[in-house]
Amino acid sequence: MTTNTPLPYDPTRAAFAVSAIGAATLIGAWIFQYGFGYVPCALCWMERQPYYLTIPLALIAGIAGARGVSKKFVLVALTVCLAAFLYNGGLSFYHAGAEYGFWPGPESCGGGVALPGSVEELQARLSAGEHPPRCDEAAWTLFGVSLAGFNFLISLLLSALSAAPVAHYLQNRKEKA
C-alpha cells in the first residue's frame, strides 16, 4: 500500500513509527539496566508499562493498515496509544519533578534490586550498605536531563505521532460533513 500522505497524518506509517520509537526507547532502558547496571526505581518500572501495551498494539495496527484493514481500526489503536502516552508523559513529568526537587516523590518508592548471583555477593552488598534506587534521585543525566525527563520528551513525541492521524481524520470528516 503506497500513500502520498505525509508521515504524521498517515495512520499506518504513524503506527509503525510509534512501534519503532517505542521499541527503541524500551531497548534503551534495558541497555541501561542490563548493560550498565542501573537498577530501575518503582516509578521507572511503572513508566515502562505503557510501552509493553503500545509497541505490539501499534505494530499490529501498522500491519493491519498495510494489509488494507479498516482505517478506523488503525485510528482506534492510535487513540489507545495516545491515551497510554499521555498517561506516561504525566507520570514521567511527576518523576522528573521529584528528581529535580520540585515536589516530593512517593514515600513508598524504593525501587527494585538486581538479584545477586551468589550468597557471597548478597553479603557483600548488604555489608556495603547498598540500597535500592530512589524515585527522587536521578541515577543518570545528560545535559541536565534525567532518564525520566527523556521519557517525558519521548512520551510527548509519541503522543503527537499518535494524535496527528486521528486529528487529521476528524478534521477531514468534519470538512466533508
Side-chain angles (χ1 to χ4, degrees):
M1 176 176 161
T2 58
T3 179
N4 293 330
T5 307
L7 169 64
Y9 303 119
D10 181 322
T12 299
R13 292 171 62 193
F16 281 128
V18 165
S19 183
I21 294 169
T25 303
L26 194 54
I27 289 168
W30 290 336
I31 289 171
F32 270 90
Q33 180 179 353
Y34 298 110
F36 301 128
Y38 288 92
V39 179
C41 71
L43 284 176
C44 293
W45 284 111
M46 290 174 63
E47 289 167 30
R48 291 183 187 184
Q49 300 308 310
Y51 292 102
Y52 296 133
L53 166 71
T54 58
I55 293 168
L57 178 62
L59 182 60
I60 290 167
I63 292 169
R67 293 184 180 250
V69 175
S70 169
K71 184 178 187 178
K72 289 182 181 178
F73 169 77
V74 180
L75 292 168
V76 168
L78 286 171
T79 302
V80 171
C81 290
L82 171 62
F85 288 121
L86 288 174
Y87 162 79
N88 203 37
L91 186 59
S92 299
F93 182 78
Y94 168 71
H95 188 183
E99 289 177 336
Y100 296 124
F102 296 148
W103 43 75
E107 291 292 323
S108 63
C109 192
V113 264
L115 296 175
S118 67
V119 173
E120 292 79 21
E121 185 180 347
L122 174 61
Q123 289 173 338
R125 285 183 179 184
L126 292 174
S127 297
E130 184 175 307
H131 63 281
R134 296 189 41 85
C135 295
D136 56 0
E137 296 173 2
W140 181 88
T141 62
L142 178 65
F143 306 118
V145 181
S146 69
L147 292 172
F150 280 111
N151 191 35
F152 170 70
L153 297 173
I154 293 166
S155 292
L156 288 181
L157 170 67
L158 292 171
S159 293
L161 271 174
S162 299
V166 176
H168 184 70
Y169 171 79
L170 293 173
Q171 181 65 32
N172 285 344
R173 195 171 128 208
K174 183 178 171 184
E175 288 173 1
K176 289 179 183 178

